[in-house]
Amino acid sequence: MTAVAGKLSGGKLAAVTVKTKAIGQEVAQGKSVATIESSKFVGPVPAPVTGVLVRGNDKLASDPNMAISDPYGEGWIAEIKPSNWDGEKSGLVTGAEGLAVYQKKLEADNISCA
């Protein structure tokens, strides 16, 4: 979850539901590991890499808004054990490069958070 996604969701989530049937199963990169619901949006949380879905964050059942308020801490959604890290890690971007790519996507999709 990013701050932009939180804003687009209306700033309040109704539910974050991890696909518990997939726990212990391999999930392909880009396939859904969870669903996020708000008053403005219902959609998937895609797996960043192929791997085994190890667990979901049970705390989100009682406080789904942690995914917005603390997405990089207590509000994490799912833990995945990568099965093809060496083959897929180059497709992930972080830091300044990641911000630049995300900014271009927001501009291309005409999304403004101001």
Side-chain angles (χ1 to χ4, degrees):
M1 205 57 196
T2 64
V4 173
K7 184 167 177 86
L8 292 173
S9 74
K12 185 171 180 174
L13 297 178
V16 176
T17 308
V18 175
K19 297 188 183 259
T20 56
K21 289 183 181 181
I23 292 176
Q25 304 294 313
E26 185 168 270
V27 178
Q29 182 180 38
K31 295 296 183 180
S32 179
V33 295
T35 302
I36 291 180
E37 298 178 46
S38 76
S39 62
K40 294 184 173 187
F41 175 80
V42 174
V45 176
V49 295
T50 300
V52 174
L53 181 58
V54 176
R55 64 185 174 133
N57 187 350
D58 295 335
K59 293 179 184 178
L60 296 178
S62 62
D63 187 4
N65 288 300
M66 269 196 305
I68 293 174
S69 64
D70 192 14
Y72 306 109
E74 293 295 313
W76 62 273
I77 295 174
E79 180 181 337
I80 299 170
K81 181 178 179 185
S83 58
N84 186 18
W85 179 249
D86 289 335
E88 294 176 345
K89 69 180 177 182
S90 64
L92 303 174
V93 290
T94 61
E97 180 185 5
L99 290 173
V101 170
Y102 196 49
Q103 181 65 40
K104 285 181 184 178
K105 179 180 177 17
L106 294 175
E107 290 168 2
D109 291 345
N110 199 28
I111 296 172
S112 173
C113 291

